Amino acid sequence: MRVGGGGGGGGGGGGREREAALLLVLIAAACGFVVVLLNLPDGRALPGAGGVPGAVGEHTGGTHVSVKERRMVEIVRQQQDVAAQELEGQTDENAAEADERISRSPPGAKEKLWMMQDQLIMAKAYLQFASLHGSAHLVRELKLRIKEIERVISHFSSSSRVPTSALQKIRAMEMTLSKAQRAYPHCSHMTAKLRAMTHQSEELVRAHRSETSFLEQVAVRTLPKGHHCLAMRLTSEYFLLDPKEREFPQRYTMQMGDLYHYAIFSDNVLASAVVVNSTISASKDPKRIMFHIVTDALNFPAMMMWFLTNPPNPATIQIKSLDNLKWLPADFSFRFKQKGIRDPRYTSALNHLRFYLPEVFPSLNKLVLLDHDVVVQRDLSGLWQIDLNGKVNGAVETCTSGDGYHRLENLVNFSDPSIINKFDAKACIHAFGMNIFDLKEWRRQGLTTAYNKWFQAGKRRRLWKAGSLPLGQIVFYNQTVPLDHRWHVLGLGHDRSIGRDAIERAAVIHYSGKLKPWLEISIPKYRDYWNNFLDYDNPYLQQCNIHM
């Protein structure tokens, strides 16, 4: 909170500096007088005339006051009188300077807005004093100025010039605050009042933050109305098709091993469409691409219908339902629900399906896994040429020099003996969202078995934070080859500071975080990178009022 000195108008200028200096003299004098009172021996006190410190008599309750002490009090009183006289004499001078200072101050609206907000804070604090002490005239004047400033702020625009009327209101408020300051010069009282107001404001901010967090969680977990409409329309039309029309044409022109295989595990039709469209658009040889989309039973018909009516030519696509993977544990779709954890990113069975990739695709030896909240901007065929040196996973590391947040100790419980004896707490976290996996090596090392072992251990005791990311760090510990950071830039779903150059150099950009690009709460400056790969003239999108 910015609190202006003196009249509360911000600004500077010679008059303001002199006024501040005189205020300091007054404060120093008052503090010196308190020291005298506190240090009088034998319980002696100095009586004041009319309740004003400094009117000193020869005796106090029969106790003699020394010449030295009386001289000290006289000096304090003289300093106060001189300072008060000089401050009073400067009232008209300050008022005259206020217009000049405001007129020559920068015309930017932001600075004037800050000044008026500070004036409101001071005025409301002084209003409390004036109301308590029955100063009716000052109360009326403060209320009038507060209404004027609030009205100006409510109509304030971001234009480069501040209207003359606003400058006049700022000056009038500055004059009123100057009067209030002379009427109530006790800085300790004002400090207490401002501290109380600050505490009240902080409590209000905390309440608003809590409300914002709750509403944000609702927005994250709730499917937008247009997306719900789209899923319903696609599903109903899928079941109107003849069974023979519900299959993709088999267009394999080469062996499965000659294709670039991309896996997408998603329950979001539009998100999957963007991943597919952007990958094809960026590819140098899209006819060699094969997409493998796995979704849940509820969204399978809608996913099928979308890609039947919007085929990813010249690439090939295959869509599977999670329920058709009969070899999965019977409770697989429900086993990741945790008490107190409602965020679907942490409880989704599709997120954990990545640990069964060799079983989902038994005929494949190498594959790229893409999250459904990514956009592909460069050809990814070079990933298949990277030598993984006998390791299983190729991924970008998320830590930088001195950045402790992205270290393993922030995801995993190193107070547990089974963790501390096997892992390095300072190990760098690698990203999920764009990974190249050697499935042949995965099978050889039995990492799916390792995953199941750690998952069961985590159910018995708290070994890591919620979600699949911490478990992934454990399963692929010492099994990951770091990739160049230009392959994968993360954070577009929470970090507003990512530069345009970094985004446009990246092969894949990832909206990791809660602010997904298909939600209204997404970060506006990143949204177009995602929107560019949807045709908003599509009849389904038009019918469901889905637009940019």
Side-chain angles (χ1 to χ4, degrees), residues 265-472:
F265 299 158
S266 174
D267 57 2
N268 188 314
V269 172
L270 286 188
S272 300
V274 168
V275 179
V276 169
N277 293 344
S278 62
T279 304
I280 292 173
S281 176
S283 175
K284 295 177 181 177
D285 193 3
K287 65 180 180 295
R288 293 187 62 190
I289 290 177
M290 184 167 185
F291 295 103
H292 304 268
I293 297 179
V294 182
T295 188
D296 55 29
L298 183 65
N299 290 282
F300 177 78
M303 194 76 74
M304 285 291 297
M305 190 64 194
W306 176 266
F307 286 105
L308 283 169
T309 55
N310 299 275
N313 298 328
T316 305
I317 191 166
Q318 177 189 61
I319 299 178
K320 295 182 179 182
S321 171
L322 190 64
D323 286 9
N324 290 334
L325 303 177
K326 302 300 183 182
W327 45 265
L328 284 172
D331 65 339
F332 187 79
S333 296
F334 311 101
R335 69 194 310 186
F336 309 108
K337 306 294 183 184
Q338 297 182 45
K339 187 177 180 179
I341 304 295
R342 298 180 180 178
D343 193 324
R345 296 174 301 159
Y346 299 147
T347 60
S348 169
L350 289 170
N351 277 347
H352 284 263
L353 188 63
R354 71 186 66 183
F355 300 110
Y356 293 90
L357 278 171
E359 288 74 26
V360 178
F361 306 109
S363 61
L364 300 183
N365 289 329
K366 196 169 265 193
L367 164 144
V368 167
L369 178 66
L370 296 173
D371 277 1
H372 72 178
D373 54 351
V374 306
V375 173
V376 178
Q377 302 186 127
R378 300 283 183 272
D379 179 69
L380 299 183
S381 60
L383 289 171
W384 274 263
Q385 312 306 320
I386 294 174
D387 185 359
L388 295 182
N389 297 315
K391 295 188 177 182
V392 173
N393 179 24
V396 167
E397 292 183 332
T398 61
C399 59
T400 57
S401 179
D403 186 357
Y405 177 75
H406 295 287
R407 303 288 173 176
L408 192 57
E409 62 187 348
N410 288 284
L411 295 179
V412 177
N413 178 15
F414 274 86
S415 64
D416 191 284
S418 65
I419 296 293
I420 196 171
N421 294 328
K422 292 182 175 67
F423 305 98
D424 178 9
K426 301 301 180 182
C428 187
I429 294 172
H430 60 266
F432 281 110
M434 198 276 322
N435 305 73
I436 175 77
F437 288 109
D438 185 335
L439 302 185
K440 187 176 180 180
E441 188 65 26
W442 184 326
R443 296 184 189 100
R444 192 186 71 81
Q445 297 197 31
L447 294 190
T448 300
T449 300
Y451 160 77
N452 284 315
K453 180 186 115 180
W454 282 111
F455 179 78
Q456 294 301 325
K459 288 178 67 175
R460 293 191 296 270
R461 56 190 188 277
R462 192 176 183 84
L463 296 180
W464 43 72
K465 292 184 178 179
S468 62
L469 178 62
L471 194 50

Side-chain angles (χ1 to χ4, degrees), residues 12-79:
R16 179 69 64 202
E17 294 173 358
R18 290 195 297 275
E19 185 178 334
L22 289 168
L23 285 174
L24 290 174
V25 171
L26 278 172
I27 293 169
C31 294
F33 184 67
V34 171
V35 171
V36 171
L37 291 175
L38 294 176
N39 288 278
L40 287 175
D42 302 322
R44 287 177 289 175
L46 298 175
V52 178
V56 184
E58 288 293 324
H59 294 80
T60 302
T63 306
H64 181 72
V65 180
S66 69
V67 174
K68 182 178 180 181
E69 291 166 348
R70 187 166 60 252
R71 178 58 180 161
M72 183 179 297
V73 173
E74 288 174 357
I75 292 172
V76 169
R77 183 180 180 184
Q78 289 171 4
Q79 290 174 336

Side-chain angles (χ1 to χ4, degrees), residues 465-479:
K465 292 184 178 179
S468 62
L469 178 62
L471 194 50
Q473 307 304 313
I474 296 295
V475 173
F476 297 111
Y477 184 78
N478 283 338
Q479 291 295 331

Side-chain angles (χ1 to χ4, degrees), residues 116-127:
M116 288 187 287
Q117 289 171 338
D118 286 349
Q119 287 183 330
L120 276 179
I121 293 170
M122 296 295 292
K124 289 177 180 179
Y126 279 124
L127 183 60

Side-chain angles (χ1 to χ4, degrees), residues 476-533:
F476 297 111
Y477 184 78
N478 283 338
Q479 291 295 331
T480 300
V481 173
L483 302 182
D484 189 295
H485 281 76
R486 288 172 293 182
W487 279 111
H488 186 191
V489 168
L490 300 94
L492 277 71
H494 67 89
D495 186 353
R496 300 173 189 271
S497 66
I498 303 173
R500 182 174 177 177
D501 290 344
I503 292 173
E504 296 186 352
R505 283 197 305 266
V508 172
I509 56 174
H510 189 177
Y511 292 82
S512 55
K514 294 184 290 188
L515 309 181
K516 302 302 184 187
W518 53 85
L519 299 176
E520 290 186 6
I521 61 173
S522 62
I523 301 173
K525 66 178 180 178
Y526 301 147
R527 203 175 291 153
D528 282 347
Y529 295 103
W530 193 82
N531 283 332
N532 288 339
F533 294 99

